[in-house]
Amino acid sequence: MSARAADTRIDEIRDALSPLGPVEARPMFGGHGLTVDGAMVAIATDGTVYLKTDDGNRAAFEEAGLEPFTYASARGRVTTSFRRAPEPLGDWDVLGPLATGSLDAARRALARRRTRRPRRHAGLGDADRG
């Protein structure tokens, strides 16, 4: 699929995920990352949408037969924490429960990342003021 075709699908994807909240799409690695409140809930590449998974929601995707997003690297095939979204995207009865679980997974991942960041010490610059 051409980059232009993938770009036109971004509007469809944003609309489909809009019940989760305002969806922001940003270009990344030849595709797009889709976030809600700063949490990466989905990625879109080559016209295919993949939703965030973790231990809390992965089983629902496996039961639905939705495969993970993988890519080739110098070390071999890499399997990500994103799984294919069900099609058609416009069927919220099917997409909704999976997308909601993906938003929860994305928020958990964001919270873990925030706790791992080194913190600046508030008083660090105060010693220089003497």
Side-chain angles (χ1 to χ4, degrees), residues 18-55:
S18 67
L20 299 175
V23 180
E24 193 171 323
R26 293 187 177 150
M28 59 179 275
F29 307 116
H32 287 81
L34 295 111
T35 61
V36 174
D37 297 328
M40 180 81 64
V41 69
I43 56 175
T45 183
D46 294 327
T48 303
V49 181
Y50 297 89
L51 297 170
K52 179 72 173 166
T53 64
D54 66 6
D55 291 341

Side-chain angles (χ1 to χ4, degrees), residues 48-73:
T48 303
V49 181
Y50 297 89
L51 297 170
K52 179 72 173 166
T53 64
D54 66 6
D55 291 341
N57 70 333
R58 188 174 302 109
F61 285 83
E62 291 171 349
E63 289 170 15
L66 298 166
E67 68 274 1
F69 173 63
T70 64
Y71 64 91
S73 78

Side-chain angles (χ1 to χ4, degrees), residues 8-124:
T8 61
R9 186 128 200 252
I10 290 302
D11 290 337
E12 173 194 355
I13 297 164
R14 289 176 63 180
D15 287 346
L17 296 176
S18 67
L20 299 175
V23 180
E24 193 171 323
R26 293 187 177 150
M28 59 179 275
F29 307 116
H32 287 81
L34 295 111
T35 61
V36 174
D37 297 328
M40 180 81 64
V41 69
I43 56 175
T45 183
D46 294 327
T48 303
V49 181
Y50 297 89
L51 297 170
K52 179 72 173 166
T53 64
D54 66 6
D55 291 341
N57 70 333
R58 188 174 302 109
F61 285 83
E62 291 171 349
E63 289 170 15
L66 298 166
E67 68 274 1
F69 173 63
T70 64
Y71 64 91
S73 78
R75 295 183 180 175
R77 202 95 195 129
V78 175
T79 300
T80 70
S81 62
F82 290 84
R83 287 193 168 250
R84 184 184 280 269
E87 294 282 349
L89 292 177
D91 187 350
W92 189 252
D93 289 339
V94 175
L95 178 63
L98 294 171
T100 300
S102 292
L103 179 57
D104 293 341
R107 286 179 172 155
R108 287 188 292 269
L110 184 61
R112 281 190 303 274
R113 237 183 1 260
R114 286 182 175 157
T115 60
R116 282 188 270 167
R117 287 188 180 157
R119 296 184 181 188
R120 294 185 68 176
H121 297 283
L124 194 56

